[in-house]
Amino acid sequence: MASIVSPPQKTVDIQQNKMISIKELAESGGLTSVPSEYTFASNPNDQADQNDPDHSMPTIDFSLIMSTSPDQRSKILHDLRKACEEWGFFMVINHGVPESLMKNMIEVCQGFFNLPEEEKKVYQTRNLLDPIKCGTSFNVEIDKVLLWRDFLKVISHPQFHSLPKPEGYSEVSLEFSKRIREVATELLRAISETLELEADYIEKSMNWDQGLQILAANYYPACPDPENAIGIPPHTDHGLLTILIQNDMGGLQVQHKGKWVNWNAIPNSLVVNLGDHMQILTNDKYKSVWHRAVVNNKAPRISIAVPHGPSLETVVVPAPELVEKQGQPPAYKGISYHDFLDLQQSAKCYMKSCLDAIRL
């Protein structure tokens, strides 16, 4: 059942109220350089490669995953296994999510970011799993450098939550979250098969019917000096997999074979990346890959990342069937998804992989 969350009556605390959104700052006029608190020192050796033939990005045709032809399914499962092993990122085409729905989702998220600052501030919160939260940067309590992005995070499963504003957000986000979760479900079944497990293995072991889905919209305004700011620094995602859509400004970069690569997505494709819990579950067979968001000086970028995870209570461990098959000991100790999310937000894992904290 849908839950539309009205603005809470309590005001947010004073420190949180002092945080100006990057959208408000960027549109304040007269900004010709990046303020010192947003200055991100990048390594010149970490520049993204351009047009390297060694970095041909994998594309998965979703219609073949749904095919009843054994030959077609065998071929696409081979391609999917290769994408998971070699990249941890891939594009999905022919996925069945209407282009109009994807565009409408980006537009209603733009509508939220365009709301007056006072209306958005009522959703500012430090509580990790509040059903709706918005803010700026990553975690202003521990950020050493502020990020050139504002965000809106809305939990859409196991219970769907929504916003009363902007108009249309509730209807569009409900349909979008359902369609994206359908794609995620079929991808997880196919990934299970690439691991030579039963198709529903991941669904059952991760309590998928109660699994967490978050609609995470990011707004990156045009930046006067993009070389000295960062949208989101290098990180990996929690959960099993993330599905992302974006406007046409680009900005996603992925680490592949030790180099940063500009991810040039096919128009209207879905960008999919494996999360930390897929790496735990597969005992390092499939990796959660480092990626980042860079900014530009031309126009705002909007992305909507939809991470999908187990239920919050699920304790994720390497799959015993895979551990036995690999002949290797488990690489990770068990941890509930909820505790992992807490760990990710802590100073201990700031700009580090949380997987290192639970590696055996």
Side-chain angles (χ1 to χ4, degrees):
M1 184 175 177
S3 173
I4 297 181
V5 179
S6 297
Q9 295 302 308
K10 289 195 326 185
T11 57
V12 291
D13 64 48
I14 293 173
Q15 182 182 353
Q16 194 76 341
N17 254 328
K18 287 181 180 176
M19 278 307 302
I20 185 173
S21 76
I22 191 60
K23 183 177 186 293
E24 185 178 12
L25 178 66
E27 294 176 356
S28 60
L31 195 66
T32 58
S33 62
V34 173
S36 58
E37 60 267 33
Y38 290 89
T39 300
F40 183 84
S42 58
N43 185 335
N45 297 322
D46 278 349
Q47 298 303 308
D49 278 2
Q50 304 289 338
N51 303 318
D52 188 334
D54 194 35
H55 299 310
S56 179
M57 295 154 194
T59 301
I60 300 298
D61 188 335
F62 189 78
S63 67
L64 299 183
I65 288 179
M66 305 305 292
S67 172
T68 57
S69 162
D71 288 345
Q72 286 186 334
R73 284 211 89 237
S74 176
K75 171 67 167 63
I76 200 63
L77 289 178
H78 172 272
D79 292 347
L80 180 60
R81 180 185 300 111
K82 186 176 180 183
C84 291
E85 288 179 340
E86 297 182 1
W87 276 86
F89 262 81
F90 51 90
M91 285 176 281
V92 176
I93 60 172
N94 298 325
H95 43 71
V97 181
E99 177 185 350
S100 59
L101 179 60
M102 294 164 66
K103 288 183 176 178
N104 286 344
M105 188 65 206
I106 289 173
E107 286 175 4
V108 294
C109 288
Q110 171 79 68
F112 174 81
F113 291 115
N114 287 344
L115 290 175
E117 292 297 315
E118 292 305 314
E119 292 189 34
K120 291 183 288 186
K121 279 182 178 178
V122 296
Y123 296 111
Q124 287 183 346
T125 172
R126 291 177 180 165
N127 299 324
L128 178 64
L129 289 171
D130 277 353
I132 298 175
K133 63 184 296 186
C134 75
T136 192
S137 197
F138 169 67
N139 182 344
V140 295
E141 289 187 326
I142 62 174
D143 284 336
K144 296 177 175 65
V145 175
L146 296 179
L147 310 185
W148 202 266
R149 70 120 186 203
D150 295 333
F151 66 83
L152 168 67
K153 296 181 180 180
V154 182
I155 294 177
S156 49
H157 196 276
Q159 183 178 3
F160 176 78
H161 298 275
S162 190
L163 294 156
K165 290 182 181 180
E167 184 179 354
Y169 180 90
S170 183
E171 296 80 6
V172 172
S173 63
L174 177 60
E175 181 65 15
F176 178 78
S177 61
K178 282 182 176 178
R179 298 296 288 266
I180 291 294
R181 185 171 164 81
E182 288 169 1
V183 173
T185 300
E186 295 300 335
L187 287 175
L188 286 183
R189 289 171 180 166
I191 289 171
S192 284
E193 292 185 66
T194 69
L195 295 165
E196 299 179 349
L197 298 169
E198 293 296 323
D200 61 357
Y201 181 90
I202 295 177
E203 287 178 78
K204 287 183 176 178
S205 62
M206 296 292 101
N207 299 304
W208 179 248
D209 60 336
Q210 291 297 307
L212 188 69
Q213 181 193 50
I214 304 173
L215 300 180
N218 297 297
Y219 182 88
Y220 310 92
C223 177
D225 186 8
E227 299 299 318
N228 286 307
I230 191 75
I232 305 180
H235 65 286
T236 60
D237 289 356
H238 62 80
L240 295 164
L241 56 80
T242 297
I243 299 180
L244 176 138
I245 66 171
Q246 58 190 337
N247 66 359
D248 57 5
M249 289 312 298
L252 174 63
Q253 296 182 344
V254 175
Q255 197 171 70
H256 181 61
K257 296 183 178 179
K259 296 181 179 180
W260 287 102
V261 182
N262 285 311
W263 191 270
N264 300 314
I266 296 170
N268 304 315
S269 64
L270 302 175
V271 179
V272 179
N273 64 281
L274 305 183
D276 292 338
H277 291 81
M278 185 67 76
Q279 182 163 336
I280 297 170
L281 186 68
T282 64
N283 208 39
D284 287 336
K285 180 174 176 63
Y286 293 164
K287 299 291 199 305
S288 178
V289 175
W290 290 87
H291 53 289
R292 65 189 182 189
V294 297
V295 293
N296 72 83
N297 59 5
K298 297 180 179 66
R301 175 183 182 235
I302 294 180
S303 69
I304 301 166
V306 191
H308 295 81
S311 72
L312 289 170
E313 299 76 25
T314 299
V315 175
V316 184
V317 297
E321 294 85 345
L322 294 179
V323 170
E324 183 179 352
K325 196 178 300 182
Q326 292 168 354
Q328 300 289 336
Y332 302 97
K333 62 183 179 182
I335 184 172
S336 75
Y337 188 32
H338 189 292
D339 288 347
F340 189 94
L341 292 174
D342 284 337
L343 183 65
Q344 189 186 52
Q345 291 289 314
S346 68
K348 180 179 181 180
C349 286
Y350 184 73
M351 302 306 166
K352 299 175 184 175
S353 170
C354 291
L355 293 176
D356 293 340
I358 60 170
R359 189 179 290 278
L360 295 172

